[in-house]
Amino acid sequence: MYADCIVPLPLEGVFTYSVPTHLSQKVQVGCRVNVPFGAKKQYAALVTRLHEEKPAYQTKDILAVLEEEVMLLPNQLKLWQWVAEYYMCTLGEVYKAAIPSGLKEKDGVVRYRPRTIDCVRITEEYFDPFKLNAVLSTMKVAPKQQLLMLKYIELTGLGAALTLKNPQILKEITKEELLKAAGCSSTILKAVCDRGLLEEYEVLVDRIPTGQIPAELIIQPLSQAQQVARDAISGAWQQKEVCLLHGVTSSGKTEIYIHLIAEALKEGKQVLYMLPEIVLTSQLTDRLRKVFGDRLGVYHSRYTDAERVEVYRKQVSDQPYDIIVGVRSSVLLPFRNLGLVIIDEEHENSFKQTEPAPRYHARNVALVMAKLAGAKTLLGTATPSLETYYNAIQGKYAYVSLTTRYGNVAMPEIEVVDIAEEKRKKLMSGPFSPLLLREIREALERKEQVILFQNRRGFAPVVECQVCGWTPQCPHCDVALTHHKRNNQLVCHYCSYSTPVPHRCPQCDGDNLSSKGYGTERIEDVLKNIFPEARVARMDLDTTRSRSAYESLIKGFQKGETDILIGTQMVTKGLDFRKVTVVGILNASTMLNQPDFRSYERAFQMMTQVAGRAGRSVSSEENRVGKVVLQVHDASQSTVQQVVRADYKAMFTEQMEERRMFNYPPLCRLVYVYMKHRDENVLEHMAEELAKILRMVFGHRVLGPDMPAVARVQTMYIRKVCLKIELEANMAEVRKRLRELQAYLLAKQEYKSAVMYYDVE
Ligand code: ADP
Ligand code: ZN
Ligand code: ZN
C-alpha cells in the first residue's frame, strides 16, 4: 500500500511513501505520519490518499503514525486544494499556514504542551485524620502555614472527605485561589509542600470550569430594527447562501450575530466567526463568552503556538468547540459540522495575506468553505468592499441593511478642515487645526474621551538635511527611514533595519537635520505640550508588541484612565467605547494619495470607520452628537464629501465608473506575477522577457513590467507584471499557462537564482 502525503515544504504536489505492514492498520487518510525526506530530514506529513499504484521511483517507508486521530478532515483537504490551486501556491505552503508549528515538528516528538493551571491537593500520606491533626498542632509556631492549611481544609471540604474516606469528593482548588483566600505568598505554600502536607499538580485548562460560565445564555433582546434585519437575513438564506449585512457603525451588528449563532447552535451546527486581527480584542471575546461560555474557542495570531495547537486538536476531537472566533488563518481549521460563517468587517484588507504564500483572501476562502460544508454565510460591515456590494446588487448575494444606530443614537457629525488653507493663514499648531484643538479642549472639560487617528507610526516619516536636501534611505529597501524619537533611531518599516540618527549630514556635513511630517509618536509629544493635564495614550505597532500591552491600552481607555487615545488604523475599527465624543482624523490626504486603484475606496472605509467610534451612546442630559474633525489638504475632494454625507452609494458609483473605465476588479480578475533577484540587471531582463512571452499568450491583458511601490526589499529587487483576466475566463487554463511559462523561464541558466511567485486577487 502507498500513501500520498503533504509535506510542510513549498514544493509542488504530494509525495508518495510506502506503508510498512506493521503500520497498515494505523495509517488512514488525514492522519499525521512521520516521513523521511531527502538524505537526513524528517517531517510530520499529512496523508491525503491511500492507494496501490506503485510509483516509478523507489519509495521510502512511512516511519511512524503520530496519533490515532485524523488531523485533516475531508472537506478541509478539499479547501486546501482549492486554495493551492486558486492562489497558485503549493499544498505544502497551505499546510504550513494552516497548522500550528507544534503539529509539524520534523522529529515527530511533538513539543506540544497543552495549557495547564497549577492546582494544590493534600498528599496521600496526610489524607489521614490522625496524622493531619498531629501535624496541624505542631504548626502553631508557623501561624501562616497553619492558616494556609486551615483555608485549604475549608475550601476543599477536606473534613467531609476524611470522614467518608473519599478523596474523590475533594474540591479542586488552584494555587492562585488558595493563596488569595489565605492571603499568603507562594513561599508559605512551598514550606507546607516541603513538609509533605500538600503537593502541586497541573490540570489541563480545558477541565477547569472557569466559574464565569453562565448557567444559561445571556442574550440581549434585539431592538425592533435589529429584529427586522435578523428576520430578513434568515429569510434571505432560504434563497441564497450568502447575505450582506450593511449596517451603519454602532447599529449593533454584533448583537445580531449573537442571535444567529445561538440559532445555529440550537440546530447542532458549528459556527466560524471571522474578524480582522485588530478587531479581535477581549472586549469582544468577553461579550461572546458571557453568552456562549466554553462552547467558544478563540484562534488568534497573538496566541502562543501551544494554545493554537490546543484549539486545533479540539476541533478534530469528538468534542470540538461549537464556535470558533478567529482571524484570517482560522478559515483553514477543521470543522466537522459547519452551519454558519460570519465575516465581520468583511471589507478589511487584512483578510488578504500578502506574505508569505498562500497569498489568500480569507473572506473568499471562507465563502468556498461554506459552500463545501453547505453552510450559510453572513458578511457584515458598515462599509462594504466594492466586490461584495457589486455581488449584492447583481443578485449573487442577498442584501440586508440597517440604517440606524442602536438606541437611536445619532450618527456623528463630520466637519472638514482644509489644512492647506489653515497653514497658509498660519493657524495650525503643528498637526492640529484650531477647530480640532477646540473640540479636544471641550471634550476634556466635559470629562469625555477623544480618539485621534494618524496612519503613520514613529516620530516623523522623513528626516531632511536643511542644507543639501539629503534624506536617509534604507540600505536594503527602496524606502525612506522613519525617525523614532524614543530610542533616537531611524527605522525601516519594511525590513526593520535601524540606525542611530546622525548628528551631522553624511553628505554635506551640515548640522541642520530636521524632521518633516507627523507620526503618532510626534503627535503624542505635541499634544502633551498643549494639554499637559490630559492623560494621553498611543496605540500603534510600537506600543502593542505584546498581547498584554494591547489589551491593557484598550482596557485603560475603556475604564476612563486615558482621556485621549492616539493611534494608527488599530483605533479605527470594532472598538466600542461609550465615552468617546470627539474623533480627529489628522490628515486624510495621506490615505487618499496612495498609488493603488483601491485607495479611494479604502480611504472612504477608513474615515467612515474611525468616525464611527464617535458618539456611540447618548451622553446624559444634553443628547450630544458625536463630533468628527476631518483634516485634509483638499476639502473639495469627492471622497471626502462622500464621507461627510455618509453616502456609500455615491462612493460606490463613482469608484465603479473608474474601475469600468480602466478595467479593474470587481469587473475583472487581477493576477500579479512577481519576480525577485539580487541583481537588478538580470531582473530587468527577466521581467522584459516574461512580459514579452506573456503578451504572446494573453495579448492586451498584460501590463508591465513595472516597479512596485517599494521596488527593493531586504536587498532583493522586485518587478511585477499584471494580468487582467475577464471574469468569465477559464482560470484553470490561465494558471496552467502561467505555470508553463514559469517553468520555461526558471529553467534558463541566467535566471536560476530568481524567485517567481503569484498574487491572485
Ligand atoms: P456595530 O458592530 O454595528 O458597530 P455593536 O454591535 O458594537 O455595533 O453595538 C453598538 C453598541 O450598542 C454596543 O455597545 C452594544 O452593546 C449595544 N447594543 C447593540 N444592540 C444591543 C441590544 N440589542 N441590546 C443591548 N445593547 C445593544
Ligand atoms: Zn546635507
Ligand atoms: Zn529596509
Side-chain angles (χ1 to χ4, degrees):
M1 193 165 51
Y2 298 94
D4 291 347
C5 297
I6 317 177
V7 183
L9 292 171
L11 300 169
E12 281 300 335
V14 287
F15 295 83
T16 305
Y17 289 86
S18 33
V19 182
T21 356
H22 74 280
L23 291 180
S24 63
Q25 295 300 312
K26 284 190 177 163
V27 175
Q28 45 176 330
V29 171
C31 74
R32 240 161 37 98
V33 293
N34 213 354
V35 296
F37 198 91
K40 290 202 215 53
K41 291 247 159 71
Q42 285 183 20
Y43 290 102
L46 288 167
V47 177
T48 60
R49 194 166 78 94
L50 290 171
H51 56 89
E52 314 247 317
E53 301 150 28
K54 184 175 170 31
Y57 52 88
Q58 182 67 40
T59 50
K60 292 181 183 170
D61 272 357
I62 285 178
L63 302 173
V65 177
L66 292 170
E67 65 253 303
E68 281 183 12
E69 304 98 312
V70 161
M71 298 298 271
L72 179 65
L73 304 180
N75 269 347
Q76 196 188 3
L77 173 59
K78 277 194 205 139
L79 188 71
W80 288 16
Q81 282 163 333
W82 182 87
V83 170
E85 173 70 16
Y86 188 88
Y87 294 102
M88 302 191 68
C89 64
T90 68
L91 259 181
E93 284 166 329
V94 183
Y95 172 22
K96 281 175 78 168
I99 297 228
S101 318
L103 291 176
K104 37 186 194 220
E105 294 282 323
K106 48 181 176 277
D107 53 12
V109 184
V110 182
R111 257 173 260 126
Y112 149 77
R113 231 181 122 251
R115 204 152 32 115
T116 56
I117 194 158
D118 292 329
C119 289
V120 180
R121 68 182 164 214
I122 190 144
T123 56
E124 236 182 276
E125 187 190 346
Y126 283 97
F127 190 75
D128 174 324
F130 300 106
K131 271 188 129 171
L132 186 64
N133 278 330
V135 76
L136 278 175
S137 58
T138 68
M139 278 175 117
K140 295 216 169 67
V141 290
K144 282 218 165 132
Q145 293 182 26
Q146 193 185 37
L147 174 72
L148 184 91
M149 272 318 289
L150 293 175
K151 269 287 165 206
Y152 176 81
I153 294 167
E154 176 193 329
L155 292 172
T156 58
L158 180 60
L162 286 170
T163 314
L164 297 170
K165 295 198 175 66
N166 183 2
Q168 305 291 333
I169 63 170
L170 279 174
K171 246 189 86 196
E172 200 151 61
I173 186 168
T174 69
K175 184 172 158 184
E176 197 186 336
E177 284 169 327
L178 178 61
L179 292 178
K180 202 167 157 213
C184 289
S185 70
S186 50
T187 344
I188 307 291
L189 175 63
K190 186 167 180 302
V192 176
C193 290
D194 288 346
R195 278 173 173 244
L197 267 148
L198 294 181
E199 61 187 9
E200 287 185 27
Y201 65 105
E202 288 181 340
V203 168
L204 287 182
V205 170
D206 269 3
R207 282 180 41 215
I208 295 267
T210 57
Q212 299 152 352
I213 297 164
E216 63 205 65
L217 306 186
I218 310 171
I219 298 196
Q220 325 234 42
L222 295 178
S223 70
Q224 173 136 31
Q226 286 171 328
Q227 188 60 47
V228 170
R230 189 218 165 290
D231 292 344
I233 294 165
S234 300
W237 278 337
Q238 303 292 322
Q239 271 102 48
K240 290 179 181 150
E241 281 160 4
V242 184
C243 179
L244 164 62
L245 171 60
H246 186 181
V248 296
T249 54
S250 206
S251 53
K253 293 185 286 296
T254 321
E255 224 58 46
I256 295 179
Y257 302 154
I258 289 174
H259 280 251
L260 294 168
I261 293 170
E263 192 83 359
L265 296 193
K266 237 188 263 162
E267 289 165 16
K269 296 288 191 181
Q270 283 179 296
V271 179
L272 170 61
Y273 182 164
M274 282 209 308
L275 13 74
E277 177 79 22
I278 47 172
V279 183
L280 185 46
T281 61
S282 56
Q283 233 188 7
L284 177 77
T285 48
D286 287 354
R287 170 82 192 96
L288 292 172
R289 234 178 256 289
K290 267 197 201 125
V291 182
F292 300 110
D294 59 0
R295 302 179 77 175
L296 178 82
V298 181
Y299 201 73
H300 198 310
S301 64
R302 278 170 190 267
Y303 282 9
T304 63
D305 196 66
E307 286 168 300
R308 274 179 284 160
V309 167
E310 200 178 305
V311 173
Y312 194 101
R313 284 199 180 263
K314 199 161 158 68
Q315 289 321 89
V316 292
S317 76
D318 49 13
Q319 282 190 315
Y321 287 115
D322 295 319
I323 312 157
I324 291 284
V325 181
V327 294
R328 193 165 63 204
S329 57
S330 58
V331 74
L332 300 171
L333 285 173
F335 287 89
R336 288 191 188 279
N337 189 21
L338 190 66
L340 172 63
V341 176
I342 293 170
I343 302 163
D344 194 16
E345 313 289 353
E346 69 79 29
H347 64 280
E348 256 295 307
N349 68 327
S350 62
F351 280 126
K352 173 73 170 63
Q353 169 145 321
T354 46
E355 193 67 37
R359 296 178 178 81
Y360 65 107
H361 197 301
R363 176 190 66 216
N364 300 350
V365 177
L367 290 167
V368 175
M369 178 200 221
K371 202 172 185 115
L372 282 171
K376 301 295 178 196
T377 306
L378 183 66
L379 305 171
T381 175
T383 51
S385 62
L386 257 55
E387 281 80 0
T388 294
Y389 196 76
Y390 181 71
N391 279 327
I393 56 176
Q394 295 283 309
K396 206 172 148 196
Y397 301 164
Y399 177 82
V400 172
S401 76
L402 194 52
T403 52
T404 50
R405 285 183 149 189
Y406 178 74
N408 283 324
V409 172
M411 292 304 287
E413 186 186 301
I414 304 177
E415 213 168 315
V416 181
V417 177
D418 189 325
I419 43 178
E421 177 82 24
E422 302 285 278
K423 243 183 218 149
R424 235 182 343 267
K425 295 186 190 151
K426 305 233 179 311
L427 291 174
M428 296 291 284
S429 315
F432 298 104
S433 63
L435 175 69
L436 181 51
L437 284 184
R438 195 182 72 219
E439 290 293 342
I440 297 173
R441 181 169 299 119
E442 289 177 7
L444 292 176
E445 281 164 6
R446 295 191 303 257
K447 304 255 178 285
E448 291 163 357
Q449 290 175 306
V450 177
I451 288 181
L452 298 176
F453 168 64
Q454 170 76 326
N455 216 6
R456 271 196 169 139
R457 67 191 170 94
F459 185 75
V462 182
V463 173
E464 194 182 67
C465 167
Q466 295 300 84
V467 183
C468 74
W470 172 84
T471 63
Q473 301 281 319
C474 177
H476 311 299
C477 312
D478 273 359
V479 289
L481 295 173
T482 301
H483 181 199
H484 285 243
K485 200 179 164 199
R486 292 290 173 276
N487 43 14
N488 205 33
Q489 294 276 316
L490 296 167
V491 179
C492 171
H493 286 183
Y494 281 80
C495 73
S496 305
Y497 166 85
S498 79
T499 181
V501 180
H503 296 291
R504 309 185 77 91
C505 170
Q507 189 163 285
C508 73
D509 205 34
D511 62 357
N512 194 356
L513 292 173
S514 75
S515 292
K516 292 175 76 176
Y518 289 90
T520 44
E521 205 184 28
R522 189 172 194 178
I523 289 167
E524 186 183 12
D525 277 10
V526 177
L527 199 64
K528 281 176 173 163
N529 274 329
I530 303 177
F531 301 106
E533 74 290 355
R535 295 162 303 170
V536 179
R538 172 161 61 93
M539 187 156 92
D540 57 29
L541 203 59
D542 301 310
T543 61
T544 56
R545 300 245 179 232
S546 77
R547 170 165 143 199
S548 58
Y550 180 63
E551 293 289 349
S552 78
L553 269 170
I554 290 174
K555 289 223 163 95
F557 195 58
Q558 180 136 39
K559 281 196 235 146
E561 291 161 9
T562 310
D563 303 311
I564 306 175
L565 184 65
I566 304 163
T568 54
Q569 81 261 28
M570 284 184 175
V571 298
T572 61
K573 282 158 253 206
L575 298 174
D576 184 36
F577 301 116
R578 312 322 303 268
K579 286 188 74 186
V580 174
T581 54
V582 172
V583 164
I585 298 172
L586 288 149
N587 188 354
S589 300
T590 52
M591 292 181 271
L592 290 161
N593 299 335
Q594 296 292 321
D596 183 318
F597 70 91
R598 287 201 175 89
S599 65
Y600 293 109
E601 177 192 353
R602 292 230 172 98
F604 177 90
Q605 289 161 340
M606 219 179 282
M607 286 188 258
T608 305
Q609 292 287 350
V610 70
R613 300 313 109 201
R616 288 170 77 91
S617 77
V618 193
S619 60
S620 57
E621 332 73 66
E622 290 161 76
N623 251 352
R624 192 173 296 102
V625 174
K627 181 75 164 249
V628 180
V629 179
L630 200 173
Q631 303 190 147
V632 63
H633 276 286
D634 178 4
S636 67
Q637 217 280 338
S638 58
T639 308
V640 171
Q641 291 308 317
Q642 288 151 5
V643 172
V644 172
R645 296 196 313 267
D647 195 345
Y648 177 84
K649 278 200 186 115
M651 186 281 290
F652 177 81
T653 309
E654 186 188 30
Q655 292 307 313
M656 281 303 284
E657 261 165 45
E658 300 252 313
R659 306 275 175 101
R660 200 161 278 131
M661 196 135 60
F662 300 105
N663 192 28
Y664 273 113
L667 300 163
C668 72
R669 261 186 247 272
L670 295 182
V671 179
Y672 292 102
V673 186
Y674 282 94
M675 287 148 282
K676 282 188 182 178
H677 204 287
R678 273 182 213 289
D679 185 327
E680 193 168 18
N681 288 324
V682 174
L683 183 68
E684 292 266 332
H685 230 92
M686 181 177 169
E688 287 298 341
E689 188 170 349
L690 175 80
K692 206 171 96 199
I693 54 177
L694 279 176
R695 280 203 174 85
M696 296 196 308
V697 180
F698 296 101
H700 65 280
R701 299 177 188 84
V702 182
L703 300 181
D706 291 309
M707 288 202 188
V710 179
R712 190 172 59 123
V713 174
Q714 289 177 326
T715 75
M716 295 286 268
Y717 291 91
I718 312 169
R719 290 293 181 276
K720 68 172 202 283
V721 176
C722 176
L723 277 176
K724 289 182 173 173
I725 309 290
E726 296 85 339
L727 292 179
E728 51 290 348
N730 178 349
M731 283 306 283
E733 188 61 28
V734 172
R735 284 188 288 267
K736 196 173 137 245
R737 289 304 189 86
L738 281 172
R739 288 221 174 83
E740 285 164 11
L741 296 177
Q742 172 179 9
Y744 164 78
L745 267 187
L746 292 182
K748 292 193 167 192
Q749 184 60 24
E750 65 256 52
Y751 304 141
K752 217 177 57 200
S753 50
V755 175
M756 221 170 133
Y757 61 90
Y758 304 90
D759 197 332
V760 182
E761 284 273 337

